Amino acid sequence: RTITVETTVDAGYTEGSIENTATVSSTTPDPNADNNFGTASVSVTPAADIAVEKVLASEEAVPGETVTYTVTATNNGPSDAAGVVVTDALPAGLSDVSASGTGPAGDLTCSVADPADPAASSGDVSCTVGALAVGQAATITVSGTLDPAFTGSLSNTATSSADTTDPNEDNNTSTATTDVKPKADLSLTKTADQTEVVAGELVTYTLTATNSGPSTATNVVLAEEIPRDLELESHDDRCSLAPSGESLICELETLSVNQSEEFTVTYRVQSLSTADVISNSAAISSQVNDPTADNNASTVDIAVTTQADVSITKSGAKSVVPGKSISWTLDVSNTGPSAARDLVISDVLPTGLKDIEVTGTAPTGSANCVVKPKENSSGQVTCSLAVLDVNTDATVTITALVKPGLTGELTNSATVQASTPDPDDSNNASTVATALIPTDTLPVTGVNAVSQMISAFALLTVGILLVLTRRRKLT
């Protein structure tokens, strides 16, 4: 008769072999007791299936922040494992690596290799687990700071080994691959070199772009909309005018963590601007996700005032004969810096003039000129002009007939005023004096001279005839 006995070898057995002896007995006398027992010896070879699992413990892998992995080594048996060691070959890009772990016996002993060691990557981690009974597990935590400039995916592999034979090596390694997600908190600060500017003058803005991290920002763009009251004068070499001409674009390939870059842009406020305040805004963006968008734009307001240095120059003949016509020219100029508005050109004409005519021309057309009566004068010429831009001129021409018999000189002054403040009013008036030349003091010339010569000749002829007649009578 055959009897089969099944048993389980203790998972922790390490003696090398097991002997098992069976005996048989009966109530009936046995003539040969030497064959009443039998011994079988079985060689025992421990085998432990150590499985490793590695996962990313952090919610996500962000360059510049801490990345944490969890490695779990489990003994799936059938035997207890001895001399278990878990290693982790960390990828390039991690620094300040630390490792710790716990097992059935307590805290594990972990070491991190020097990253400067050519044989190490970012710092290979090795943790000694030691004995690991069937069903037991050890957990290891590995942390490191990911390079702020890291891009792509992060791949990390952990491996287990043991003194005990592993019947299944397929699960002795585990790799965690993660796509990194950069984040960069970009901020923009904009300032102006003055809080108040005169229309027609320059204002310089400074744009400061800062990256507070945690990751390096790539393809950084600063966009500034150009207000209609500003004309671009100069800008940073890293900036260019957009095809539309309505905005200025400044670019940086990268902006590292805690790095700041300044851009300067100079504009001229249009001389014709009527704005009281000019608001200038700019915004910053990049290819990288920004966790805080509230600080991505900045606006600067500057007050605008006006000043226009208008001047007038009056010119005309130095002398004139009463009974003849006379002409004066009034040249009005604006040297800025702002456009002059609501200009009034005035000229009170001296007495003794008649048939007064006035014409006015300006860059934008004609000036509106009128002549009105004024006491103790020949009238007052008034020309109005809505606006005179910087470095432009307006001209007023006055012609009149000087009344016969007038003596002395003609003296009169012309003035110009504008509603725009004038920083220098010393050139707002101009005076011309014209001498009056009596007719009897004029030199004998032309037709008058011929007439007088004929008259003289006639008188001389008459005189000669009278003398001859008198002599005849005497003889």
Side-chain angles (χ1 to χ4, degrees):
R1 185 175 181 180
T2 300
I3 300 174
T4 300
V5 179
E6 292 184 359
T7 185
T8 300
V9 180
D10 186 275
Y13 188 83
T14 58
E15 294 298 326
S17 63
I18 296 176
E19 289 188 352
N20 185 10
T21 301
T23 60
V24 63
S25 63
S26 172
T27 56
T28 304
D30 190 333
N32 182 11
D34 293 338
N35 59 359
N36 287 9
F37 60 90
T39 299
S41 179
V42 179
S43 177
V44 178
T45 302
D49 178 16
I50 306 298
V52 174
E53 182 183 23
K54 183 168 189 176
V55 295
L56 179 69
S58 308
E59 291 185 3
E60 55 187 0
V62 178
E65 291 187 347
T66 299
V67 177
T68 301
Y69 293 95
T70 299
V71 182
T72 304
T74 303
N75 182 4
N76 293 329
S79 306
D80 292 347
V84 178
V85 176
V86 176
T87 59
D88 194 346
L90 299 177
L94 288 177
S95 60
D96 300 326
V97 178
S98 63
S100 62
T102 58
D107 293 338
L108 306 183
T109 301
C110 296
S111 63
V112 180
D114 185 355
D117 184 353
S121 54
S122 293
D124 292 337
V125 172
S126 178
C127 294
T128 300
V129 178
L132 200 60
V134 176
Q136 291 183 333
T139 302
I140 300 167
T141 301
V142 179
S143 298
T145 301
L146 187 57
D147 188 337
F150 190 94
T151 58
S153 61
L154 191 64
S155 185
N156 189 1
T157 301
T159 304
S160 68
S161 62
D163 294 339
T164 305
T165 302
D166 193 325
N168 178 19
E169 295 184 349
D170 292 341
N171 57 5
N172 287 13
T173 61
S174 179
T175 301
T177 301
T178 307
D179 290 332
V180 299
K181 298 179 180 179
K183 293 180 181 180
D185 179 13
L186 297 177
S187 60
L188 181 64
T189 303
K190 186 171 189 175
T191 59
D193 63 347
Q194 50 196 312
T195 58
E196 184 177 271
V197 65
V198 178
E201 293 190 343
L202 299 175
V203 57
T204 297
Y205 295 94
T206 300
L207 288 74
T208 304
T210 302
N211 180 12
S212 299
S215 308
T216 298
T218 56
N219 297 330
V220 179
V221 176
L222 282 73
E224 178 176 74
E225 296 296 325
I226 301 176
R228 62 183 180 87
D229 291 287
L230 297 182
E231 296 175 349
L232 185 62
E233 284 281 323
S234 63
H235 55 76
D236 192 285
D237 292 339
R238 296 166 293 180
C239 303
S240 61
L241 195 62
S244 65
E246 297 177 352
S247 61
L248 188 69
I249 305 298
C250 305
E251 297 177 303
L252 288 171
E253 288 187 6
T254 60
L255 190 62
S256 301
V257 177
N258 297 326
Q259 179 185 2
S260 294
E261 288 290 333
E262 287 188 352
F263 301 82
T264 56
V265 183
T266 300
Y267 294 95
R268 185 179 297 279
V269 180
Q270 292 182 3
S271 58
L272 290 168
S273 173
T274 58
D276 295 324
V277 176
I278 295 178
S279 293
N280 191 355
S281 300
I284 188 171
S285 62
S286 79
Q287 192 176 14
V288 175
N289 178 44
D290 193 328
T292 307
D294 294 343
N295 54 4
N296 288 9
S298 183
T299 300
V300 174
D301 293 337
I302 55 171
V304 180
T305 60
T306 56
Q307 284 186 1
D309 182 13
V310 293
S311 61
I312 188 169
T313 302
K314 182 171 184 176
S315 59
K318 293 183 179 180
S319 62
V320 67
V321 177
K324 302 293 182 179
S325 64
I326 187 172
S327 176
W328 287 286
T329 300
L330 284 63
D331 291 315
V332 178
S333 301
N334 177 19
T335 57
S338 309
R341 298 186 182 276
D342 306 320
L343 288 87
V344 176
I345 305 164
S346 179
D347 192 342
V348 178
L349 300 176
T351 58
L353 302 177
K354 63 179 182 177
D355 300 335
I356 300 168
E357 295 183 357
V358 183
T359 58
T361 60
T364 56
S366 60
N368 182 23
C369 296
V370 295
V371 181
K372 293 182 178 181
K374 187 173 178 62
E375 187 178 357
N376 299 323
S377 72
S378 296
Q380 180 175 351
V381 174
T382 303
C383 297
S384 58
L385 188 62
V387 61
L388 186 63
D389 204 358
V390 180
N391 299 324
T392 60
D393 303 284
T395 302
V396 176
T397 302
I398 303 173
T399 59
L401 185 66
V402 181
K403 293 179 180 179
L406 201 64
T407 60
E409 67 176 10
L410 298 174
T411 302
N412 77 315
S413 298
T415 62
V416 62
Q417 298 292 332
S419 63
T420 307
D422 193 329
D424 179 14
D425 58 5
S426 64
N427 53 9
N428 288 17
S430 181
T431 301
V432 171
T434 303
L436 296 170
I437 302 176
T439 306
D440 56 3
T441 63
L442 293 175
V444 178
T445 60
V447 175
N448 290 335
V450 174
S451 299
Q452 290 184 26
M453 288 177 65
I454 292 173
S455 299
F457 181 76
L459 289 173
L460 179 61
T461 302
V462 172
I464 292 173
L465 291 174
L466 289 174
V467 170
L468 292 174
T469 303
R470 187 174 183 181
R471 284 182 180 181
R472 286 176 181 176
K473 290 181 177 181
L474 291 174
T475 58

Tab-separated table of all heavy atoms in Angstrom, residues 344-383:
chain	number	residue	atom	x	y	z
A	344	VAL	N	-4.574	134.514	-32.077
A	344	VAL	CA	-5.150	135.806	-32.485
A	344	VAL	C	-3.987	136.721	-32.853
A	344	VAL	O	-3.118	137.007	-32.024
A	344	VAL	CB	-5.999	136.425	-31.366
A	344	VAL	CG1	-6.493	137.803	-31.804
A	344	VAL	CG2	-7.174	135.530	-31.033
A	345	ILE	N	-3.972	137.172	-34.116
A	345	ILE	CA	-2.950	138.097	-34.613
A	345	ILE	C	-3.619	139.459	-34.740
A	345	ILE	O	-4.662	139.605	-35.394
A	345	ILE	CB	-2.404	137.630	-35.975
A	345	ILE	CG1	-1.880	136.196	-35.863
A	345	ILE	CG2	-1.321	138.571	-36.479
A	345	ILE	CD1	-1.676	135.518	-37.192
A	346	SER	N	-3.031	140.447	-34.101
A	346	SER	CA	-3.670	141.763	-34.050
A	346	SER	C	-2.685	142.842	-34.496
A	346	SER	O	-1.495	142.802	-34.144
A	346	SER	CB	-4.161	142.051	-32.627
A	346	SER	OG	-4.759	143.321	-32.550
A	347	ASP	N	-3.195	143.829	-35.275
A	347	ASP	CA	-2.362	144.947	-35.743
A	347	ASP	C	-3.236	146.191	-35.800
A	347	ASP	O	-4.170	146.283	-36.610
A	347	ASP	CB	-1.787	144.631	-37.120
A	347	ASP	CG	-0.690	145.608	-37.523
A	347	ASP	OD1	-0.603	146.687	-36.923
A	347	ASP	OD2	0.067	145.274	-38.464
A	348	VAL	N	-2.978	147.136	-34.906
A	348	VAL	CA	-3.698	148.415	-34.906
A	348	VAL	C	-2.965	149.354	-35.857
A	348	VAL	O	-1.825	149.757	-35.593
A	348	VAL	CB	-3.771	149.003	-33.490
A	348	VAL	CG1	-4.492	150.356	-33.526
A	348	VAL	CG2	-4.492	148.052	-32.556
A	349	LEU	N	-3.599	149.673	-36.970
A	349	LEU	CA	-2.949	150.456	-38.020
A	349	LEU	C	-2.927	151.944	-37.656
A	349	LEU	O	-3.886	152.472	-37.063
A	349	LEU	CB	-3.685	150.258	-39.340
A	349	LEU	CG	-3.736	148.796	-39.845
A	349	LEU	CD1	-4.572	148.705	-41.123
A	349	LEU	CD2	-2.331	148.265	-40.088
A	350	PRO	N	-1.854	152.621	-38.022
A	350	PRO	CA	-1.767	154.062	-37.712
A	350	PRO	C	-2.776	154.864	-38.542
A	350	PRO	O	-3.283	154.393	-39.568
A	350	PRO	CB	-0.324	154.404	-38.080
A	350	PRO	CG	0.046	153.402	-39.125
A	350	PRO	CD	-0.683	152.147	-38.750
A	351	THR	N	-3.032	156.092	-38.126
A	351	THR	CA	-3.965	156.959	-38.867
A	351	THR	C	-3.338	157.353	-40.200
A	351	THR	O	-2.128	157.304	-40.393
A	351	THR	CB	-4.275	158.217	-38.040
A	351	THR	OG1	-3.042	158.890	-37.751
A	351	THR	CG2	-4.966	157.869	-36.732
A	352	GLY	N	-4.221	157.728	-41.115
A	352	GLY	CA	-3.741	158.186	-42.421
A	352	GLY	C	-3.745	157.124	-43.483
A	352	GLY	O	-3.153	157.342	-44.550
A	353	LEU	N	-4.402	156.022	-43.261
A	353	LEU	CA	-4.458	154.956	-44.243
A	353	LEU	C	-5.893	154.746	-44.709
A	353	LEU	O	-6.848	155.008	-43.979
A	353	LEU	CB	-3.929	153.643	-43.649
A	353	LEU	CG	-2.512	153.651	-43.107
A	353	LEU	CD1	-2.187	152.278	-42.495
A	353	LEU	CD2	-1.507	153.986	-44.191
A	354	LYS	N	-6.021	154.304	-45.954
A	354	LYS	CA	-7.333	153.965	-46.479
A	354	LYS	C	-7.191	152.802	-47.455
A	354	LYS	O	-6.081	152.393	-47.792
A	354	LYS	CB	-7.979	155.163	-47.157
A	354	LYS	CG	-7.221	155.665	-48.384
A	354	LYS	CD	-7.951	156.836	-49.006
A	354	LYS	CE	-7.233	157.326	-50.283
A	354	LYS	NZ	-7.973	158.430	-50.939
A	355	ASP	N	-8.313	152.281	-47.901
A	355	ASP	CA	-8.336	151.151	-48.837
A	355	ASP	C	-7.499	149.971	-48.288
A	355	ASP	O	-6.625	149.427	-48.961
A	355	ASP	CB	-7.814	151.550	-50.209
A	355	ASP	CG	-8.640	152.657	-50.843
A	355	ASP	OD1	-9.832	152.781	-50.475
A	355	ASP	OD2	-8.100	153.384	-51.690
A	356	ILE	N	-7.794	149.594	-47.070
A	356	ILE	CA	-7.007	148.540	-46.392
A	356	ILE	C	-7.494	147.162	-46.845
A	356	ILE	O	-8.700	146.900	-46.871
A	356	ILE	CB	-7.147	148.673	-44.865
A	356	ILE	CG1	-6.630	150.056	-44.414
A	356	ILE	CG2	-6.382	147.550	-44.159
A	356	ILE	CD1	-6.994	150.399	-42.990
A	357	GLU	N	-6.540	146.319	-47.203
A	357	GLU	CA	-6.833	144.935	-47.578
A	357	GLU	C	-5.923	143.988	-46.790
A	357	GLU	O	-4.745	144.290	-46.567
A	357	GLU	CB	-6.615	144.717	-49.086
A	357	GLU	CG	-7.580	145.504	-49.940
A	357	GLU	CD	-7.383	145.220	-51.420
A	357	GLU	OE1	-6.443	144.444	-51.745
A	357	GLU	OE2	-8.147	145.756	-52.236
A	358	VAL	N	-6.488	142.858	-46.389
A	358	VAL	CA	-5.732	141.888	-45.569
A	358	VAL	C	-5.942	140.491	-46.140
A	358	VAL	O	-7.073	140.105	-46.465
A	358	VAL	CB	-6.187	141.899	-44.096
A	358	VAL	CG1	-5.335	140.928	-43.281
A	358	VAL	CG2	-6.106	143.291	-43.525
A	359	THR	N	-4.859	139.724	-46.246
A	359	THR	CA	-4.931	138.291	-46.599
A	359	THR	C	-4.077	137.503	-45.610
A	359	THR	O	-3.047	137.992	-45.152
A	359	THR	CB	-4.417	138.024	-48.028
A	359	THR	OG1	-3.061	138.484	-48.131
A	359	THR	CG2	-5.282	138.711	-49.060
A	360	GLY	N	-4.530	136.321	-45.305
A	360	GLY	CA	-3.780	135.469	-44.369
A	360	GLY	C	-3.680	134.047	-44.869
A	360	GLY	O	-4.665	133.501	-45.385
A	361	THR	N	-2.523	133.452	-44.766
A	361	THR	CA	-2.328	132.049	-45.159
A	361	THR	C	-1.713	131.290	-43.994
A	361	THR	O	-0.963	131.845	-43.190
A	361	THR	CB	-1.403	131.934	-46.384
A	361	THR	OG1	-0.125	132.511	-46.072
A	361	THR	CG2	-2.003	132.625	-47.596
A	362	ALA	N	-2.056	129.977	-43.932
A	362	ALA	CA	-1.548	129.100	-42.867
A	362	ALA	C	-1.338	127.711	-43.441
A	362	ALA	O	-1.854	127.387	-44.521
A	362	ALA	CB	-2.538	129.053	-41.706
A	363	PRO	N	-0.576	126.846	-42.751
A	363	PRO	CA	-0.329	125.485	-43.266
A	363	PRO	C	-1.596	124.692	-43.502
A	363	PRO	O	-1.631	123.819	-44.366
A	363	PRO	CB	0.526	124.846	-42.164
A	363	PRO	CG	1.171	125.997	-41.469
A	363	PRO	CD	0.180	127.110	-41.521
A	364	THR	N	-2.631	124.983	-42.725
A	364	THR	CA	-3.879	124.216	-42.860
A	364	THR	C	-4.933	124.982	-43.656
A	364	THR	O	-6.096	124.617	-43.645
A	364	THR	CB	-4.433	123.886	-41.474
A	364	THR	OG1	-4.606	125.100	-40.724
A	364	THR	CG2	-3.486	122.958	-40.724
A	365	GLY	N	-4.528	126.053	-44.337
A	365	GLY	CA	-5.493	126.827	-45.106
A	365	GLY	C	-5.264	128.300	-44.906
A	365	GLY	O	-4.121	128.762	-44.812
A	366	SER	N	-6.333	129.059	-44.832
A	366	SER	CA	-6.225	130.500	-44.683
A	366	SER	C	-6.650	130.925	-43.292
A	366	SER	O	-7.477	130.282	-42.658
A	366	SER	CB	-7.087	131.214	-45.731
A	366	SER	OG	-8.439	130.846	-45.567
A	367	ALA	N	-6.033	132.031	-42.850
A	367	ALA	CA	-6.423	132.614	-41.572
A	367	ALA	C	-7.645	133.493	-41.794
A	367	ALA	O	-7.816	134.101	-42.863
A	367	ALA	CB	-5.272	133.408	-40.998
A	368	ASN	N	-8.489	133.563	-40.809
A	368	ASN	CA	-9.701	134.375	-40.890
A	368	ASN	C	-9.375	135.788	-40.419
A	368	ASN	O	-9.152	136.018	-39.230
A	368	ASN	CB	-10.791	133.739	-40.023
A	368	ASN	CG	-12.089	134.514	-40.094
A	368	ASN	OD1	-12.330	135.232	-41.058
A	368	ASN	ND2	-12.914	134.371	-39.075
A	369	CYS	N	-9.301	136.706	-41.366
A	369	CYS	CA	-8.869	138.065	-41.041
A	369	CYS	C	-10.002	139.058	-41.293
A	369	CYS	O	-10.739	138.955	-42.290
A	369	CYS	CB	-7.667	138.464	-41.882
A	369	CYS	SG	-6.196	137.457	-41.572
A	370	VAL	N	-10.110	140.039	-40.400
A	370	VAL	CA	-11.099	141.114	-40.538
A	370	VAL	C	-10.443	142.429	-40.146
A	370	VAL	O	-9.453	142.462	-39.401
A	370	VAL	CB	-12.344	140.862	-39.655
A	370	VAL	CG1	-13.095	139.626	-40.111
A	370	VAL	CG2	-11.942	140.749	-38.188
A	371	VAL	N	-11.024	143.556	-40.678
A	371	VAL	CA	-10.573	144.900	-40.300
A	371	VAL	C	-11.764	145.610	-39.678
A	371	VAL	O	-12.834	145.722	-40.302
A	371	VAL	CB	-10.054	145.690	-41.514
A	371	VAL	CG1	-9.573	147.074	-41.075
A	371	VAL	CG2	-8.936	144.931	-42.207
A	372	LYS	N	-11.569	146.076	-38.465
A	372	LYS	CA	-12.644	146.765	-37.758
A	372	LYS	C	-12.184	148.172	-37.374
A	372	LYS	O	-10.989	148.395	-37.104
A	372	LYS	CB	-13.038	145.993	-36.501
A	372	LYS	CG	-13.680	144.646	-36.798
A	372	LYS	CD	-14.101	143.959	-35.507
A	372	LYS	CE	-14.789	142.626	-35.809
A	372	LYS	NZ	-15.230	141.940	-34.565
A	373	PRO	N	-13.130	149.081	-37.328
A	373	PRO	CA	-12.764	150.450	-36.925
A	373	PRO	C	-12.234	150.462	-35.494
A	373	PRO	O	-12.668	149.680	-34.650
A	373	PRO	CB	-14.078	151.220	-37.033
A	373	PRO	CG	-14.937	150.381	-37.927
A	373	PRO	CD	-14.537	148.960	-37.688
A	374	LYS	N	-11.279	151.367	-35.283
A	374	LYS	CA	-10.748	151.534	-33.938
A	374	LYS	C	-10.378	152.995	-33.765
A	374	LYS	O	-9.784	153.619	-34.655
A	374	LYS	CB	-9.531	150.644	-33.689
A	374	LYS	CG	-9.054	150.680	-32.245
A	374	LYS	CD	-7.969	149.664	-32.014
A	374	LYS	CE	-7.438	149.701	-30.605
A	374	LYS	NZ	-8.470	149.373	-29.603
A	375	GLU	N	-10.708	153.536	-32.627
A	375	GLU	CA	-10.482	154.948	-32.346
A	375	GLU	C	-9.004	155.280	-32.441
A	375	GLU	O	-8.151	154.498	-32.037
A	375	GLU	CB	-11.032	155.279	-30.956
A	375	GLU	CG	-11.006	156.764	-30.626
A	375	GLU	CD	-11.603	157.044	-29.256
A	375	GLU	OE1	-12.090	156.089	-28.608
A	375	GLU	OE2	-11.587	158.202	-28.841
A	376	ASN	N	-8.748	156.499	-33.007
A	376	ASN	CA	-7.369	156.996	-33.145
A	376	ASN	C	-6.498	156.070	-33.991
A	376	ASN	O	-5.307	155.908	-33.740
A	376	ASN	CB	-6.722	157.209	-31.774
A	376	ASN	CG	-7.470	158.229	-30.939
A	376	ASN	OD1	-7.977	159.229	-31.480
A	376	ASN	ND2	-7.581	157.981	-29.632
A	377	SER	N	-7.106	155.460	-34.987
A	377	SER	CA	-6.341	154.592	-35.872
A	377	SER	C	-7.086	154.467	-37.184
A	377	SER	O	-8.216	154.956	-37.330
A	377	SER	CB	-6.164	153.205	-35.260
A	377	SER	OG	-7.373	152.485	-35.275
A	378	SER	N	-6.419	153.819	-38.107
A	378	SER	CA	-7.076	153.548	-39.390
A	378	SER	C	-7.886	152.267	-39.337
A	378	SER	O	-8.496	151.876	-40.335
A	378	SER	CB	-6.024	153.445	-40.503
A	378	SER	OG	-5.349	154.669	-40.674
A	379	GLY	N	-7.847	151.616	-38.214
A	379	GLY	CA	-8.569	150.361	-38.052
A	379	GLY	C	-7.691	149.301	-37.405
A	379	GLY	O	-6.461	149.442	-37.323
A	380	GLN	N	-8.320	148.287	-36.949
A	380	GLN	CA	-7.584	147.182	-36.319
A	380	GLN	C	-7.775	145.916	-37.142
A	380	GLN	O	-8.892	145.475	-37.389
A	380	GLN	CB	-8.058	146.951	-34.885
A	380	GLN	CG	-7.312	145.805	-34.196
A	380	GLN	CD	-7.700	145.671	-32.733
A	380	GLN	OE1	-8.381	146.515	-32.194
A	380	GLN	NE2	-7.235	144.608	-32.109
A	381	VAL	N	-6.618	145.331	-37.530
A	381	VAL	CA	-6.634	144.060	-38.250
A	381	VAL	C	-6.574	142.927	-37.219
A	381	VAL	O	-5.692	142.918	-36.343
A	381	VAL	CB	-5.439	143.956	-39.222
A	381	VAL	CG1	-5.400	142.559	-39.844
A	381	VAL	CG2	-5.544	145.021	-40.292
A	382	THR	N	-7.513	142.000	-37.325
A	382	THR	CA	-7.516	140.832	-36.434
A	382	THR	C	-7.646	139.574	-37.272
A	382	THR	O	-8.586	139.454	-38.070
A	382	THR	CB	-8.676	140.897	-35.430
A	382	THR	OG1	-8.582	142.107	-34.675
A	382	THR	CG2	-8.624	139.689	-34.482
A	383	CYS	N	-6.679	138.676	-37.100
A	383	CYS	CA	-6.701	137.384	-37.793
A	383	CYS	C	-6.744	136.282	-36.752
A	383	CYS	O	-5.978	136.299	-35.780
A	383	CYS	CB	-5.471	137.208	-38.677
A	383	CYS	SG	-5.346	138.417	-40.013
